Amino acid sequence: MYQINFNEPCRIYFMGIGGISMSGLAEILMKEGFTVTGSDMKESDLTKQLEAEGAVISYHQTASNIHADEIDVVVYTAAIHEDHPELAEVIRLGIPRLTRAELLGQIMRNYKTAIAISGTHGKTTTTSMVTEVMMAANEDPTVTVGGMLDCIHGNFHLGESDCFITEACEYTNSFLSFYPTVEAVLNIEEDHLDFFKDIHDIRRSFRLFMEKLPKGGVLVINEEIENYEELTAGLQCRVVTFGLEGSGADYTAAHLAYDDNACASFTLMHQNGDTQKPVVDIKMNVPGVHNVKNALACAAVALEQGIKPKYIASALERFGNAHRRFEFKGKIGEVTIVDDYAHHPQEIDATLDAAKKMKHRKLWCVFQSHTYTRTKALLDDFAKSLSAADAVVLAPIYAARETDTLGVSSQDIADRIEKLGTEVHNLESFDAIETFLLTNCEAGDVVITMGAGDIYRVGEKLLGM
C-alpha cells in the first residue's frame, strides 16, 4: 500500500471529490499543504467550497483527466470500480492509489487519540454528538463526519489537539483500514447485503474491527447487540457497555421521560462496583429513544476520555442533530415537514417511533428505498417498519451505484404494506408526490420525507426552499 509522508505534502487526485466524506478529507489535506485536484459528476456546494480553497476540479470523469506527471497518488471510493474510465487509466499508467478508507486510516495514525464510531445506523448522529461534546470541552479535535454539522460549520474540522474523530462504515470492510484507539459499536444489523453474505459475515467484520484496538484502547458497545459477549471475548482492549435502564450495562439512562416533541430527559448512571451512581442529568434536544442510546454511547466515550460530565450535559442539550437526521424543515400551513436519512428497517422503526411521540393528527411517511439490493433483501422488513406510520407514500427506488433492478420495485413494498392494513400510495414521481400531499394533508399532520437518496427535495419543494 502507498504510504503518504505527511511531512512532505504531495499531489493527490480525488475521484468523486464532492462526496461528503471525500470532500472533508480533501480539505484536511489541503490545510496540511497538499496539492489537491479531482473530479465529480456535478458541481455542488461542497465542490465550490473546495475550489474556493484552491482545489482544481473537473466535472467530466474521463481518462483524459489523469496524467502521470501531475499526480502522485489517487484516492477513490468503494463505489468506483476498475472499469471506471479514470481508474482504468490510473491502473494503466501505474499511478499509486488508495481507497478513501485507506487514506483515512493513514490520517488517523497521526493522532494520539483516534475515536471511530461504528454501527449499522446512528454513526453520523453519534459522531456529531461526540464532536459537540469535545468542542464544548475545548478539546478542539480534528473531525470528519458524514453529514453537515453546525458546531463545526460543515462536515470536517481541522483541530489543534491530538484527537481525531470519525465515523467508521462497515461497507466493503472499509473500517478495517482504520487505526482507532477508541471505538463505539452502536448496533449490528443486516445491511449492505450486496457485499456481505449474511448477518454472520457482518458480525465477523465487526469482530475484526474490534481486534484493531490496542491493549490500552477502549471499546464502547451496545449491550443490546445479540450475544455481544461472543464478539468481545478475548479482546486486549477494555470493554465498556451502554444500555437502557435495567440492562445491567456500565452506562445506563434512568428516569427516562419525553416532552411533547419526543425529546428525552434522563439521569446518566454509571455502574461502580456493585452500585450504580448518578453521573449527570441530561435533557435532549433531538427526539426518540434511539437518540437516547446514541447519547449514552457518546457519554461513555467522553467520560472514558476524562471529559467532565457538565460538558456532556450542556453539549447534548444544545445538540440539534446533523442535517438530514430528524431535521425539522418547516411548516406549510399547519403541516409540519421533517426529513430523515433512515434507509434501513431498524432506522425506520426508530424514526417513526420518535415521530409518533410528537403531537400530530396524522403521520405521513414519504419513503424512497435506497438500492435494489437492499430493497429486495428486506422487503418484508421494510413493509412492517413503514406500517407504523398512519399513511405511507412511496417514491421510485433510488438506484445509487446499482444498474440491475433485480426485478424489484416500490410496488412490491406497497403490496406488502397494504396486506398489513396500512394506507399506502405508490407514486411515479416527486411531482406526483408533491401534488398528492398538497391535496391530502390537513392541519396538524406531520410529514416525514425519509431515505438516503434525494427524497428530501420533496419537502423542500413544498416549502419553497
Side-chain angles (χ1 to χ4, degrees):
M1 183 195 306
Y2 182 88
Q3 295 293 322
I4 291 175
N5 184 345
F6 288 87
N7 295 318
E8 297 180 7
C10 62
R11 301 167 298 178
I12 299 186
Y13 187 94
F14 284 81
M15 297 171 58
I17 196 170
I20 194 76
S21 177
M22 292 282 272
S23 62
L25 295 178
E27 287 209 47
I28 288 173
L29 292 179
M30 288 173 68
K31 291 183 183 298
E32 293 288 348
F34 287 77
T35 299
V36 170
T37 57
S39 67
D40 213 293
M41 295 297 292
K42 59 183 180 180
E43 189 178 52
S44 66
D45 290 341
L46 291 174
T47 60
K48 290 177 184 177
Q49 176 66 28
L50 290 170
E51 288 176 316
E53 294 180 5
V56 176
I57 301 173
S58 170
Y59 296 101
H60 300 284
Q61 294 185 310
T62 64
S64 61
N65 293 334
I66 307 301
H67 303 281
D69 58 344
E70 298 175 358
I71 300 169
D72 295 312
V73 60
V74 170
V75 180
Y76 63 102
T77 68
I80 295 177
H81 302 292
E82 291 190 358
D83 59 352
H84 186 282
E86 285 188 331
L87 186 54
E89 183 69 0
V90 168
I91 294 170
R92 188 185 74 81
L93 294 174
I95 300 173
R97 61 189 190 273
L98 293 170
T99 65
R100 180 203 64 86
E102 288 169 342
L103 172 61
L104 181 51
Q106 291 192 27
I107 291 174
M108 291 174 76
R109 298 185 88 165
N110 291 325
Y111 292 82
K112 180 180 178 181
T113 301
I115 301 170
I117 310 297
S118 71
T120 311
H121 23 265
K123 292 185 291 292
T124 297
T125 297
T126 308
T127 304
S128 300
M129 286 179 174
V130 173
T131 298
E132 190 92 42
V133 169
M134 293 297 188
M135 296 294 282
N138 295 314
E139 291 295 315
D140 196 24
T142 293
V143 180
T144 174
V145 60
M148 305 303 287
L149 184 57
D150 289 340
C151 78
I152 58 173
H153 311 293
N155 64 315
F156 102 102
H157 173 71
L158 183 61
E160 297 295 330
S161 75
D162 211 9
C163 177
F164 185 89
I165 304 171
T166 186
E167 57 185 88
C169 183
E170 74 275 16
Y171 183 57
T172 68
N173 284 328
S174 291
F175 60 5
L176 299 186
S177 295
F178 294 178
Y179 296 92
T181 62
V182 180
E183 292 178 2
V185 180
L186 306 174
N187 37 64
I188 302 176
E189 306 286 348
E190 278 191 316
D191 198 11
H192 299 304
L193 295 176
D194 57 331
F195 177 77
F196 293 109
K197 297 176 183 177
D198 51 30
I199 186 62
H200 303 293
D201 193 20
I202 296 170
R203 285 172 64 89
R204 277 193 294 272
S205 289
F206 272 92
R207 167 65 191 201
L208 291 173
F209 178 57
M210 296 173 198
E211 289 176 355
K212 295 187 72 68
L213 284 166
K215 187 174 181 179
V218 179
L219 170 65
V220 173
I221 188 167
N222 187 346
E223 186 265 350
E224 292 182 354
I225 293 172
E226 185 175 358
N227 296 327
Y228 81 89
E229 299 96 334
E230 176 185 84
L231 292 170
T232 61
L235 291 175
Q236 62 178 339
C237 64
R238 190 155 50 88
V239 178
V240 175
T241 58
F242 68 91
L244 297 180
E245 188 172 18
S247 66
D250 296 313
Y251 292 95
T252 55
H255 314 303
L256 185 59
Y258 296 91
D259 63 18
D260 289 344
N261 293 317
C263 297
S265 60
F266 62 91
T267 300
L268 175 64
M269 305 293 291
H270 182 223
Q271 188 74 29
N272 189 0
D274 295 330
T275 61
Q276 275 197 332
K277 293 186 177 181
V279 178
V280 69
D281 290 329
I282 290 176
K283 179 174 172 51
M284 305 285 293
N285 194 33
V286 288
V289 68
H290 63 299
N291 275 320
V292 173
K293 297 174 185 177
N294 292 338
L296 287 169
C298 165
V301 167
L303 288 167
E304 293 296 323
Q305 296 308 302
I307 302 301
K308 293 181 179 179
K310 66 179 182 179
Y311 295 123
I312 297 170
S314 63
L316 289 176
E317 183 171 3
R318 184 171 58 250
F319 177 68
N321 235 332
H323 295 194
R324 294 222 63 209
R325 271 70 181 178
F326 212 97
E327 182 181 6
F328 174 77
K329 304 292 287 189
K331 284 193 173 186
I332 177 169
E334 293 301 315
V335 177
T336 300
I337 308 294
V338 175
D339 179 62
D340 195 90
Y341 193 70
H343 57 285
H344 182 278
Q346 297 291 331
E347 296 169 344
I348 295 168
D349 287 340
T351 301
L352 292 181
D353 178 72
K356 288 163 72 174
K357 290 183 171 69
M358 298 173 63
K359 284 188 174 180
H360 65 277
R361 187 195 75 88
K362 186 173 184 176
L363 176 60
W364 298 82
C365 179
V366 182
F367 181 67
Q368 178 189 45
S369 194
H370 188 264
T371 75
Y372 300 108
T373 302
R374 181 183 287 115
T375 305
K376 186 170 184 177
L378 302 172
L379 271 173
D380 291 331
D381 293 328
F382 275 125
K384 182 179 178 182
S385 296
L386 290 166
S387 293
D390 296 317
V392 180
V393 179
L394 296 172
I397 295 170
Y398 188 85
R401 56 189 172 269
E402 297 181 345
T403 56
D404 187 351
T405 68
L406 304 177
V408 70
S409 73
S410 294
Q411 187 60 47
D412 293 301
I413 305 175
D415 292 341
R416 286 162 172 78
I417 291 175
E418 189 172 30
K419 287 181 181 179
L420 293 172
T422 298
E423 179 185 343
V424 60
H425 308 270
N426 182 32
L427 302 178
E428 71 280 2
S429 68
F430 284 4
D431 286 343
I433 292 172
E434 291 156 14
T435 300
F436 176 86
L437 293 173
L438 286 170
T439 303
N440 290 278
C441 289
E442 300 181 18
D445 287 359
V446 172
V447 175
I448 298 184
T449 55
M450 186 183 292
D454 56 354
I455 192 65
Y456 65 90
R457 296 183 185 279
V458 169
E460 292 184 351
K461 181 76 174 294
L462 288 171
L463 293 165
M465 297 174 70

